[in-house]
């Protein structure tokens, strides 16, 4: 008595794009620059990898223009692992995004870590079958990205610093304003839309549901298991770890520990256990020591 | 009411990684109480367990490090009702193709599944399916979904898509290739609660 269905299949729809972000919740997405690193990430329990040519710490050190990675390298990483593979395109560089889609990556990160290609416009993400994640420093920026078709938002933090302070600032900005919008009456929501420079229907949706219409992850500065758990306790639903793993002394144990900390983020005993003996984290830099804030890219 | 067997039962949702919050919402709509399960102590007193979508390799690793694997294996042998979706189905299958060599699954239902059998994210899709005994179609969202490539003789197929099983049951174990937790339609959760 089986029901067999032959139904039209719709790809690239909002539920399908947003659905993969739902599946990444509670997980760690790790930056990798080689197939070997991608394997270490998967072995350590990463729920996805971000393929890029240089980790943000190296982009920061080397300077110059940072672009989409070589397709050959992305293909090699795709072949090395079974988990989802993301890759970065420059802000506004819709052709890099088209190439990444053609390569079959699972998510495109329209990322401020790369050098922007357009200082006015972000990519029209509705034109793509592949879903997009975008960074945000505050609620208005998050809603503008969602209105362009982003299906996942990450707080930007300050990539390549190993310093969690900006990620905390951005998470608190976004989540604090979500709470305030939730308290507003219907007349005040018009003013919120104006202040946030965001579409009114999205502001009204937040007032009704108490959350963004898409998941909110944290990125930019996570270097330790405690950093990951801090982001999760503040309300992030998953974490991206960039330079923090493969710029540390001993990446594999640190990667595993950050995965444990992201799952057991409220259990201080487990956090204490997994934080032991990991070797030196990436050195990290203070915000007054950097001359380029990536978080300021994007509009 | 279709969910005569199950309201107000306590159902655990494996919360190591993945879409566990969405499952809690669907179970609440279907009338169950829920608890997130991250450690063995969280299994105490459960009437049923849900294994959500997410990354099966990540969950497999965390099942071992948390000490949950052996405890859940024992509960499944004792007949604890369980519902696995997508990655959860992979965790419950007797055979996993294209998995990692160290990937563990409970072998609770006699099916072989191929990880990412429907392709990568650009191939992910939604479609309406007919489910046995449902009076209207169920809208199913498939995300990098596992594909059932073999079902054992004791497995009951509850829905197919283009001839391939997408919902199946064997005794107290129910699995789906897709994500009923994402669409707000709690009929499959209610069906599961009838077993709980």
């Amino acid at each position: 008595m089986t029901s067999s269905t032959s139904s039209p299949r719709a790809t690239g729809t909002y539920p399908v794009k947003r659905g993969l972000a739902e599946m990444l919740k509670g997980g760690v997405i790790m930056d990798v620059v080689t197939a070997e690193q991608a394997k270490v990430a998967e072995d350590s329990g990463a729920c996805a990898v971000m393929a890029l040519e240089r980790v943000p710490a190296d982009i920061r050190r080397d300077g110059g223009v940072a672009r989409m990675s070589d397709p050959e390298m992305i293909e090699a990483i795709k072949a090395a692992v079974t988990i989802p593979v993301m890759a970065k395109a420059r802000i506004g560089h819709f052709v890099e995004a088209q190439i990444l889609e053609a390569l079959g990556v699972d998510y495109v990160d329209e990322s401020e870590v790369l050098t922007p290609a357009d200082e006015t416009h972000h990519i029209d993400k509705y034109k793509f079958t592949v879903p997009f994640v975008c960074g945000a420093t505050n609620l208005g920026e998050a809603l503008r990205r969602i209105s362009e078709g982003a299906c996942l938002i990450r707080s930007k933090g300050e990539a390549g610093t190993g310093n969690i302070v900006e990620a905390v600032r951005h998470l608190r900005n976004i989540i604090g304003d979500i709470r305030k919008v939730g308290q507003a009456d219907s007349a005040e929501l018009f003013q919120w839309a104006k202040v946030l420079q965001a579409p009114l229907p999205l502001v009204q949706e937040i007032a009704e549901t108490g959350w963004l219409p898409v998941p909110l992850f944290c990125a930019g500065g996570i270097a330790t298991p405690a950093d990951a758990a801090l982001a999760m306790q503040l309300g992030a639903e998953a974490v991206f770890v960039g330079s923090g793993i493969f710029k540390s002394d001993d990446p594999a144990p640190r990667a595993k520990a950050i995965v444990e900390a992201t799952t057991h983020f409220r259990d201080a005993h487990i956090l204490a256990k997994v934080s032991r003996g990991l070797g030196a984290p990436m050195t990290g830099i203070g915000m007054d020591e950097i001359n380029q804030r990536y978080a300021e890219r994007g509009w | 009411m279709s969910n005569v067997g199950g309201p107000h039962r306590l159902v655990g949702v494996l919360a190591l990684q993945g879409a566990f919050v969405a499952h809690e919402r669907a179970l609440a709509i279907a009338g169950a109480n829920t608890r997130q399960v991250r450690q063995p102590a969280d299994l105490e007193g459960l009437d049923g367990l849900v294994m959500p979508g997410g990354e099966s390799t990540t969950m497999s690793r965390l099942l071992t490090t948390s000490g949950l694997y052996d405890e859940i294996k024992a509960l499944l042998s004792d007949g604890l009702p369980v519902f696995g979706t997508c990655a959860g189905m992979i965790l419950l299958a007797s055979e996993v193709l294209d998995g990692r060599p160290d990937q563990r699954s409970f072998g609770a239902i006699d099916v072989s599944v191929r990880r990412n059998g429907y392709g990568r994210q650009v191939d992910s899709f939604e479609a309406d399916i007919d489910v046995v005994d449902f009076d209207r179609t169920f809208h199913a969202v498939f995300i990098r979904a596992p594909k059932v490539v073999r079902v054992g003789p004791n497995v009951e197929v509850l829905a197919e898509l283009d001839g391939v099983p997408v919902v199946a049951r064997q005794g107290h174990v129910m699995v789906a290739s897709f994500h009923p937790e994402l669409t707000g339609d709690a009929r499959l959760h209610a069906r599961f609660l009838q077993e709980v």
Side-chain angles (χ1 to χ4, degrees), chain A residues 1 3 5 9-10 13 23 25 42-43 82 104 106 260 263 267, chain B residues 16-18 38-39 65 100 115 120-121 126 130 132 144 160 162:
Chain A
M1 277 290 291
S3 297
T5 317
R9 302 180 182 190
T13 60
M23 298 312 132
K25 282 184 176 176
E42 186 180 59
D43 288 345
T82 63
D106 296 297
E260 295 286 339
T263 291
D267 189 323
Chain B
L16 297 171
Q17 192 271 319
R38 290 188 177 82
Q39 296 187 73
T65 59
R100 287 171 49 85
R115 278 187 70 213
R120 303 189 70 94
Q121 176 61 17
E126 44 187 324
D130 291 313
V132 169
R144 288 172 50 97
E160 289 184 343
D162 297 332

PDB file of all heavy atoms in Angstrom, chain A residues 1 3 5 9-10 13 23 25 42-43 82 104 106 260 263 267, chain B residues 16-18 38-39 65 100 115 120-121 126 130 132 144 160 162:
ATOM      1  N   MET A   1       0.837  -1.214   0.000  1.00  0.00           N
ATOM      2  CA  MET A   1       0.000   0.000   0.000  1.00  0.00           C
ATOM      3  C   MET A   1       0.862   1.250   0.000  1.00  0.00           C
ATOM      4  O   MET A   1       0.748   2.102   0.855  1.00  0.00           O
ATOM      5  CB  MET A   1      -0.901  -0.017   1.249  1.00  0.00           C
ATOM      6  CG  MET A   1      -2.164  -0.831   1.075  1.00  0.00           C
ATOM      7  SD  MET A   1      -3.327  -0.056  -0.076  1.00  0.00           S
ATOM      8  CE  MET A   1      -3.841   1.379   0.875  1.00  0.00           C
ATOM      9  N   SER A   3       2.199   4.786  -1.375  1.00  0.00           N
ATOM     10  CA  SER A   3       1.809   5.905  -2.214  1.00  0.00           C
ATOM     11  C   SER A   3       3.027   6.324  -3.017  1.00  0.00           C
ATOM     12  O   SER A   3       4.038   6.678  -2.449  1.00  0.00           O
ATOM     13  CB  SER A   3       1.358   7.073  -1.343  1.00  0.00           C
ATOM     14  OG  SER A   3       0.231   6.712  -0.606  1.00  0.00           O
ATOM     15  N   THR A   5       4.563   8.975  -5.742  1.00  0.00           N
ATOM     16  CA  THR A   5       4.281  10.293  -6.272  1.00  0.00           C
ATOM     17  C   THR A   5       5.260  10.603  -7.380  1.00  0.00           C
ATOM     18  O   THR A   5       6.433  10.285  -7.281  1.00  0.00           O
ATOM     19  CB  THR A   5       4.457  11.356  -5.161  1.00  0.00           C
ATOM     20  OG1 THR A   5       3.868  10.847  -3.976  1.00  0.00           O
ATOM     21  CG2 THR A   5       3.791  12.654  -5.552  1.00  0.00           C
ATOM     22  N   ARG A   9       9.583  18.926  -9.282  1.00  0.00           N
ATOM     23  CA  ARG A   9      10.542  19.294  -8.246  1.00  0.00           C
ATOM     24  C   ARG A   9      10.975  20.734  -8.453  1.00  0.00           C
ATOM     25  O   ARG A   9      11.416  21.096  -9.535  1.00  0.00           O
ATOM     26  CB  ARG A   9      11.761  18.391  -8.298  1.00  0.00           C
ATOM     27  CG  ARG A   9      11.420  16.922  -8.129  1.00  0.00           C
ATOM     28  CD  ARG A   9      12.674  16.068  -8.193  1.00  0.00           C
ATOM     29  NE  ARG A   9      12.331  14.658  -8.072  1.00  0.00           N
ATOM     30  CZ  ARG A   9      13.225  13.704  -7.906  1.00  0.00           C
ATOM     31  NH1 ARG A   9      14.522  13.998  -7.857  1.00  0.00           N
ATOM     32  NH2 ARG A   9      12.851  12.454  -7.783  1.00  0.00           N
ATOM     33  N   ALA A  10      10.875  21.538  -7.419  1.00  0.00           N
ATOM     34  CA  ALA A  10      11.279  22.940  -7.507  1.00  0.00           C
ATOM     35  C   ALA A  10      12.617  23.117  -6.802  1.00  0.00           C
ATOM     36  O   ALA A  10      12.758  22.790  -5.627  1.00  0.00           O
ATOM     37  CB  ALA A  10      10.219  23.817  -6.858  1.00  0.00           C
ATOM     38  N   THR A  13      14.420  27.295  -4.403  1.00  0.00           N
ATOM     39  CA  THR A  13      13.371  28.078  -3.742  1.00  0.00           C
ATOM     40  C   THR A  13      13.862  28.569  -2.383  1.00  0.00           C
ATOM     41  O   THR A  13      14.842  28.065  -1.841  1.00  0.00           O
ATOM     42  CB  THR A  13      12.119  27.222  -3.525  1.00  0.00           C
ATOM     43  OG1 THR A  13      12.497  26.109  -2.693  1.00  0.00           O
ATOM     44  CG2 THR A  13      11.565  26.716  -4.849  1.00  0.00           C
ATOM     45  N   MET A  23      20.103  23.339   8.630  1.00  0.00           N
ATOM     46  CA  MET A  23      20.851  22.107   8.883  1.00  0.00           C
ATOM     47  C   MET A  23      22.236  22.379   9.467  1.00  0.00           C
ATOM     48  O   MET A  23      22.856  21.499  10.033  1.00  0.00           O
ATOM     49  CB  MET A  23      20.997  21.289   7.593  1.00  0.00           C
ATOM     50  CG  MET A  23      19.686  20.838   7.007  1.00  0.00           C
ATOM     51  SD  MET A  23      18.613  20.093   8.240  1.00  0.00           S
ATOM     52  CE  MET A  23      17.071  20.938   7.899  1.00  0.00           C
ATOM     53  N   LYS A  25      22.839  24.636  11.765  1.00  0.00           N
ATOM     54  CA  LYS A  25      22.726  25.183  13.127  1.00  0.00           C
ATOM     55  C   LYS A  25      23.440  24.287  14.138  1.00  0.00           C
ATOM     56  O   LYS A  25      23.450  23.071  14.008  1.00  0.00           O
ATOM     57  CB  LYS A  25      21.249  25.314  13.510  1.00  0.00           C
ATOM     58  CG  LYS A  25      20.564  26.527  12.907  1.00  0.00           C
ATOM     59  CD  LYS A  25      19.137  26.614  13.424  1.00  0.00           C
ATOM     60  CE  LYS A  25      18.445  27.874  12.911  1.00  0.00           C
ATOM     61  NZ  LYS A  25      17.028  27.909  13.349  1.00  0.00           N
ATOM     62  N   GLU A  42      36.746  18.132   8.420  1.00  0.00           N
ATOM     63  CA  GLU A  42      35.679  17.125   8.442  1.00  0.00           C
ATOM     64  C   GLU A  42      35.935  16.084   9.535  1.00  0.00           C
ATOM     65  O   GLU A  42      35.023  15.726  10.285  1.00  0.00           O
ATOM     66  CB  GLU A  42      35.567  16.440   7.074  1.00  0.00           C
ATOM     67  CG  GLU A  42      34.390  15.485   6.983  1.00  0.00           C
ATOM     68  CD  GLU A  42      34.282  14.793   5.630  1.00  0.00           C
ATOM     69  OE1 GLU A  42      35.239  14.107   5.232  1.00  0.00           O
ATOM     70  OE2 GLU A  42      33.251  14.947   4.971  1.00  0.00           O
ATOM     71  N   ASP A  43      37.193  15.635   9.649  1.00  0.00           N
ATOM     72  CA  ASP A  43      37.545  14.672  10.700  1.00  0.00           C
ATOM     73  C   ASP A  43      37.217  15.226  12.082  1.00  0.00           C
ATOM     74  O   ASP A  43      36.916  14.484  13.010  1.00  0.00           O
ATOM     75  CB  ASP A  43      39.055  14.372  10.685  1.00  0.00           C
ATOM     76  CG  ASP A  43      39.473  13.533   9.500  1.00  0.00           C
ATOM     77  OD1 ASP A  43      38.575  12.947   8.863  1.00  0.00           O
ATOM     78  OD2 ASP A  43      40.683  13.467   9.219  1.00  0.00           O
ATOM     79  N   THR A  82      32.824  15.199   2.261  1.00  0.00           N
ATOM     80  CA  THR A  82      31.421  14.880   1.962  1.00  0.00           C
ATOM     81  C   THR A  82      30.471  15.919   2.542  1.00  0.00           C
ATOM     82  O   THR A  82      29.273  15.865   2.295  1.00  0.00           O
ATOM     83  CB  THR A  82      31.053  13.508   2.569  1.00  0.00           C
ATOM     84  OG1 THR A  82      31.183  13.594   4.003  1.00  0.00           O
ATOM     85  CG2 THR A  82      31.953  12.413   2.061  1.00  0.00           C
ATOM     86  N   GLY A 104      29.193  24.289  -8.419  1.00  0.00           N
ATOM     87  CA  GLY A 104      28.390  23.441  -7.535  1.00  0.00           C
ATOM     88  C   GLY A 104      28.698  23.611  -6.059  1.00  0.00           C
ATOM     89  O   GLY A 104      28.458  22.688  -5.272  1.00  0.00           O
ATOM     90  N   ASP A 106      27.964  24.755  -2.270  1.00  0.00           N
ATOM     91  CA  ASP A 106      26.684  24.623  -1.579  1.00  0.00           C
ATOM     92  C   ASP A 106      26.181  25.947  -1.011  1.00  0.00           C
ATOM     93  O   ASP A 106      24.996  26.104  -0.754  1.00  0.00           O
ATOM     94  CB  ASP A 106      26.817  23.584  -0.469  1.00  0.00           C
ATOM     95  CG  ASP A 106      27.113  22.206  -1.032  1.00  0.00           C
ATOM     96  OD1 ASP A 106      26.255  21.689  -1.755  1.00  0.00           O
ATOM     97  OD2 ASP A 106      28.215  21.670  -0.779  1.00  0.00           O
ATOM     98  N   GLU A 260      33.054  20.695  19.994  1.00  0.00           N
ATOM     99  CA  GLU A 260      32.443  20.290  21.276  1.00  0.00           C
ATOM    100  C   GLU A 260      31.839  21.496  21.989  1.00  0.00           C
ATOM    101  O   GLU A 260      30.744  21.443  22.551  1.00  0.00           O
ATOM    102  CB  GLU A 260      33.491  19.628  22.183  1.00  0.00           C
ATOM    103  CG  GLU A 260      34.042  18.309  21.667  1.00  0.00           C
ATOM    104  CD  GLU A 260      33.058  17.148  21.803  1.00  0.00           C
ATOM    105  OE1 GLU A 260      32.130  17.236  22.632  1.00  0.00           O
ATOM    106  OE2 GLU A 260      33.217  16.161  21.053  1.00  0.00           O
ATOM    107  N   THR A 263      28.506  22.683  20.555  1.00  0.00           N
ATOM    108  CA  THR A 263      27.369  21.823  20.937  1.00  0.00           C
ATOM    109  C   THR A 263      27.010  22.002  22.406  1.00  0.00           C
ATOM    110  O   THR A 263      25.844  22.162  22.756  1.00  0.00           O
ATOM    111  CB  THR A 263      27.716  20.345  20.664  1.00  0.00           C
ATOM    112  OG1 THR A 263      27.786  20.149  19.255  1.00  0.00           O
ATOM    113  CG2 THR A 263      26.666  19.413  21.251  1.00  0.00           C
ATOM    114  N   ASP A 267      27.452  24.307  28.992  1.00  0.00           N
ATOM    115  CA  ASP A 267      27.963  23.419  30.043  1.00  0.00           C
ATOM    116  C   ASP A 267      29.419  23.764  30.357  1.00  0.00           C
ATOM    117  O   ASP A 267      30.345  23.332  29.669  1.00  0.00           O
ATOM    118  CB  ASP A 267      27.835  21.964  29.560  1.00  0.00           C
ATOM    119  CG  ASP A 267      28.136  20.966  30.663  1.00  0.00           C
ATOM    120  OD1 ASP A 267      29.049  21.244  31.490  1.00  0.00           O
ATOM    121  OD2 ASP A 267      27.470  19.921  30.698  1.00  0.00           O
TER     122      ASP A 267
ATOM    123  N   LEU B  16      22.717  17.639  19.183  1.00  0.00           N
ATOM    124  CA  LEU B  16      24.169  17.773  19.049  1.00  0.00           C
ATOM    125  C   LEU B  16      24.518  18.767  17.957  1.00  0.00           C
ATOM    126  O   LEU B  16      25.486  19.514  18.057  1.00  0.00           O
ATOM    127  CB  LEU B  16      24.774  16.407  18.717  1.00  0.00           C
ATOM    128  CG  LEU B  16      24.582  15.355  19.816  1.00  0.00           C
ATOM    129  CD1 LEU B  16      25.017  13.983  19.319  1.00  0.00           C
ATOM    130  CD2 LEU B  16      25.351  15.746  21.076  1.00  0.00           C
ATOM    131  N   GLN B  17      23.712  18.777  16.890  1.00  0.00           N
ATOM    132  CA  GLN B  17      23.927  19.691  15.760  1.00  0.00           C
ATOM    133  C   GLN B  17      22.745  19.508  14.827  1.00  0.00           C
ATOM    134  O   GLN B  17      22.175  18.437  14.749  1.00  0.00           O
ATOM    135  CB  GLN B  17      25.244  19.350  15.041  1.00  0.00           C
ATOM    136  CG  GLN B  17      25.719  20.389  14.033  1.00  0.00           C
ATOM    137  CD  GLN B  17      25.144  20.140  12.649  1.00  0.00           C
ATOM    138  OE1 GLN B  17      25.053  19.016  12.200  1.00  0.00           O
ATOM    139  NE2 GLN B  17      24.726  21.201  11.976  1.00  0.00           N
ATOM    140  N   GLY B  18      22.343  20.578  14.147  1.00  0.00           N
ATOM    141  CA  GLY B  18      21.315  20.454  13.128  1.00  0.00           C
ATOM    142  C   GLY B  18      20.017  21.159  13.482  1.00  0.00           C
ATOM    143  O   GLY B  18      19.991  22.066  14.312  1.00  0.00           O
ATOM    144  N   ARG B  38      21.689  16.216  24.774  1.00  0.00           N
ATOM    145  CA  ARG B  38      23.116  16.396  24.454  1.00  0.00           C
ATOM    146  C   ARG B  38      24.016  15.444  25.233  1.00  0.00           C
ATOM    147  O   ARG B  38      25.156  15.222  24.869  1.00  0.00           O
ATOM    148  CB  ARG B  38      23.552  17.833  24.770  1.00  0.00           C
ATOM    149  CG  ARG B  38      22.990  18.890  23.843  1.00  0.00           C
ATOM    150  CD  ARG B  38      23.620  20.245  24.100  1.00  0.00           C
ATOM    151  NE  ARG B  38      23.135  21.245  23.154  1.00  0.00           N
ATOM    152  CZ  ARG B  38      21.985  21.905  23.282  1.00  0.00           C
ATOM    153  NH1 ARG B  38      21.205  21.680  24.317  1.00  0.00           N
ATOM    154  NH2 ARG B  38      21.617  22.793  22.378  1.00  0.00           N
ATOM    155  N   GLN B  39      23.489  14.929  26.324  1.00  0.00           N
ATOM    156  CA  GLN B  39      24.286  14.058  27.197  1.00  0.00           C
ATOM    157  C   GLN B  39      23.414  12.890  27.665  1.00  0.00           C
ATOM    158  O   GLN B  39      22.187  12.989  27.648  1.00  0.00           O
ATOM    159  CB  GLN B  39      24.761  14.850  28.409  1.00  0.00           C
ATOM    160  CG  GLN B  39      25.705  15.973  28.021  1.00  0.00           C
ATOM    161  CD  GLN B  39      26.285  16.627  29.249  1.00  0.00           C
ATOM    162  OE1 GLN B  39      27.133  16.057  29.907  1.00  0.00           O
ATOM    163  NE2 GLN B  39      25.791  17.807  29.551  1.00  0.00           N
ATOM    164  N   THR B  65      31.684  11.108  21.376  1.00  0.00           N
ATOM    165  CA  THR B  65      32.392  11.861  22.420  1.00  0.00           C
ATOM    166  C   THR B  65      31.481  12.186  23.604  1.00  0.00           C
ATOM    167  O   THR B  65      31.948  12.307  24.731  1.00  0.00           O
ATOM    168  CB  THR B  65      32.995  13.172  21.868  1.00  0.00           C
ATOM    169  OG1 THR B  65      31.945  13.978  21.325  1.00  0.00           O
ATOM    170  CG2 THR B  65      34.022  12.901  20.791  1.00  0.00           C
ATOM    171  N   ARG B 100      31.575   8.445   5.655  1.00  0.00           N
ATOM    172  CA  ARG B 100      32.973   8.366   6.049  1.00  0.00           C
ATOM    173  C   ARG B 100      33.216   6.996   6.651  1.00  0.00           C
ATOM    174  O   ARG B 100      32.316   6.424   7.264  1.00  0.00           O
ATOM    175  CB  ARG B 100      33.276   9.444   7.093  1.00  0.00           C
ATOM    176  CG  ARG B 100      33.330  10.850   6.534  1.00  0.00           C
ATOM    177  CD  ARG B 100      33.404  11.834   7.680  1.00  0.00           C
ATOM    178  NE  ARG B 100      34.435  11.454   8.634  1.00  0.00           N
ATOM    179  CZ  ARG B 100      35.725  11.777   8.514  1.00  0.00           C
ATOM    180  NH1 ARG B 100      36.124  12.502   7.496  1.00  0.00           N
ATOM    181  NH2 ARG B 100      36.603  11.409   9.411  1.00  0.00           N
ATOM    182  N   ARG B 115      24.370   8.712   1.099  1.00  0.00           N
ATOM    183  CA  ARG B 115      24.481  10.111   1.531  1.00  0.00           C
ATOM    184  C   ARG B 115      24.505  11.028   0.323  1.00  0.00           C
ATOM    185  O   ARG B 115      25.160  10.725  -0.672  1.00  0.00           O
ATOM    186  CB  ARG B 115      25.763  10.337   2.337  1.00  0.00           C
ATOM    187  CG  ARG B 115      25.634   9.942   3.789  1.00  0.00           C
ATOM    188  CD  ARG B 115      26.879  10.355   4.573  1.00  0.00           C
ATOM    189  NE  ARG B 115      26.977  11.792   4.724  1.00  0.00           N
ATOM    190  CZ  ARG B 115      28.121  12.463   4.763  1.00  0.00           C
ATOM    191  NH1 ARG B 115      29.264  11.847   4.632  1.00  0.00           N
ATOM    192  NH2 ARG B 115      28.115  13.760   4.925  1.00  0.00           N
ATOM    193  N   ARG B 120      23.990  17.724  -4.682  1.00  0.00           N
ATOM    194  CA  ARG B 120      24.462  18.810  -3.820  1.00  0.00           C
ATOM    195  C   ARG B 120      23.347  19.833  -3.600  1.00  0.00           C
ATOM    196  O   ARG B 120      22.222  19.655  -4.071  1.00  0.00           O
ATOM    197  CB  ARG B 120      25.688  19.480  -4.432  1.00  0.00           C
ATOM    198  CG  ARG B 120      26.843  18.528  -4.706  1.00  0.00           C
ATOM    199  CD  ARG B 120      28.082  19.287  -5.107  1.00  0.00           C
ATOM    200  NE  ARG B 120      28.625  20.028  -3.987  1.00  0.00           N
ATOM    201  CZ  ARG B 120      29.582  19.569  -3.175  1.00  0.00           C
ATOM    202  NH1 ARG B 120      30.095  18.385  -3.352  1.00  0.00           N
ATOM    203  NH2 ARG B 120      30.013  20.316  -2.183  1.00  0.00           N
ATOM    204  N   GLN B 121      23.683  20.958  -2.946  1.00  0.00           N
ATOM    205  CA  GLN B 121      22.659  21.932  -2.616  1.00  0.00           C
ATOM    206  C   GLN B 121      21.937  22.485  -3.853  1.00  0.00           C
ATOM    207  O   GLN B 121      20.727  22.705  -3.805  1.00  0.00           O
ATOM    208  CB  GLN B 121      23.260  23.073  -1.791  1.00  0.00           C
ATOM    209  CG  GLN B 121      22.288  24.209  -1.478  1.00  0.00           C
ATOM    210  CD  GLN B 121      21.074  23.772  -0.671  1.00  0.00           C
ATOM    211  OE1 GLN B 121      21.065  22.696  -0.069  1.00  0.00           O
ATOM    212  NE2 GLN B 121      20.041  24.592  -0.670  1.00  0.00           N
ATOM    213  N   GLU B 126      12.009  20.983  -3.495  1.00  0.00           N
ATOM    214  CA  GLU B 126      10.787  20.673  -2.762  1.00  0.00           C
ATOM    215  C   GLU B 126       9.783  20.058  -3.721  1.00  0.00           C
ATOM    216  O   GLU B 126       9.794  20.355  -4.925  1.00  0.00           O
ATOM    217  CB  GLU B 126      10.222  21.899  -2.050  1.00  0.00           C
ATOM    218  CG  GLU B 126      10.190  23.178  -2.836  1.00  0.00           C
ATOM    219  CD  GLU B 126       9.760  24.368  -1.978  1.00  0.00           C
ATOM    220  OE1 GLU B 126       8.903  24.200  -1.093  1.00  0.00           O
ATOM    221  OE2 GLU B 126      10.278  25.479  -2.188  1.00  0.00           O
ATOM    222  N   ASP B 130       2.617  11.925  -1.732  1.00  0.00           N
ATOM    223  CA  ASP B 130       1.490  11.245  -1.097  1.00  0.00           C
ATOM    224  C   ASP B 130       2.030  10.331  -0.012  1.00  0.00           C
ATOM    225  O   ASP B 130       2.968   9.576  -0.238  1.00  0.00           O
ATOM    226  CB  ASP B 130       0.723  10.405  -2.129  1.00  0.00           C
ATOM    227  CG  ASP B 130      -0.020  11.276  -3.130  1.00  0.00           C
ATOM    228  OD1 ASP B 130      -0.685  12.222  -2.682  1.00  0.00           O
ATOM    229  OD2 ASP B 130       0.095  11.010  -4.339  1.00  0.00           O
ATOM    230  N   VAL B 132       0.910   7.344   2.794  1.00  0.00           N
ATOM    231  CA  VAL B 132      -0.136   6.378   3.102  1.00  0.00           C
ATOM    232  C   VAL B 132      -1.030   6.906   4.220  1.00  0.00           C
ATOM    233  O   VAL B 132      -0.546   7.379   5.247  1.00  0.00           O
ATOM    234  CB  VAL B 132       0.501   5.035   3.542  1.00  0.00           C
ATOM    235  CG1 VAL B 132      -0.543   4.094   4.137  1.00  0.00           C
ATOM    236  CG2 VAL B 132       1.198   4.381   2.363  1.00  0.00           C
ATOM    237  N   ARG B 144      20.105  18.322   0.237  1.00  0.00           N
ATOM    238  CA  ARG B 144      21.249  17.398   0.127  1.00  0.00           C
ATOM    239  C   ARG B 144      20.850  16.039   0.715  1.00  0.00           C
ATOM    240  O   ARG B 144      21.560  15.447   1.537  1.00  0.00           O
ATOM    241  CB  ARG B 144      22.472  17.957   0.879  1.00  0.00           C
ATOM    242  CG  ARG B 144      23.131  19.152   0.178  1.00  0.00           C
ATOM    243  CD  ARG B 144      24.210  19.804   1.050  1.00  0.00           C
ATOM    244  NE  ARG B 144      25.161  18.867   1.588  1.00  0.00           N
ATOM    245  CZ  ARG B 144      26.358  18.598   1.065  1.00  0.00           C
ATOM    246  NH1 ARG B 144      26.774  19.241   0.006  1.00  0.00           N
ATOM    247  NH2 ARG B 144      27.152  17.717   1.615  1.00  0.00           N
ATOM    248  N   GLU B 160       6.636   7.326  -1.419  1.00  0.00           N
ATOM    249  CA  GLU B 160       7.690   7.231  -2.437  1.00  0.00           C
ATOM    250  C   GLU B 160       7.682   8.499  -3.269  1.00  0.00           C
ATOM    251  O   GLU B 160       6.640   9.146  -3.403  1.00  0.00           O
ATOM    252  CB  GLU B 160       7.429   6.043  -3.382  1.00  0.00           C
ATOM    253  CG  GLU B 160       7.647   4.683  -2.768  1.00  0.00           C
ATOM    254  CD  GLU B 160       7.456   3.585  -3.809  1.00  0.00           C
ATOM    255  OE1 GLU B 160       6.868   3.847  -4.876  1.00  0.00           O
ATOM    256  OE2 GLU B 160       7.909   2.455  -3.541  1.00  0.00           O
ATOM    257  N   ASP B 162       8.850   9.279  -7.184  1.00  0.00           N
ATOM    258  CA  ASP B 162       9.361   8.677  -8.424  1.00  0.00           C
ATOM    259  C   ASP B 162       9.906   7.266  -8.191  1.00  0.00           C
ATOM    260  O   ASP B 162      10.996   6.920  -8.659  1.00  0.00           O
ATOM    261  CB  ASP B 162      10.448   9.569  -9.043  1.00  0.00           C
ATOM    262  CG  ASP B 162       9.888  10.936  -9.440  1.00  0.00           C
ATOM    263  OD1 ASP B 162       8.691  11.016  -9.745  1.00  0.00           O
ATOM    264  OD2 ASP B 162      10.659  11.916  -9.415  1.00  0.00           O
TER     265      ASP B 162
END
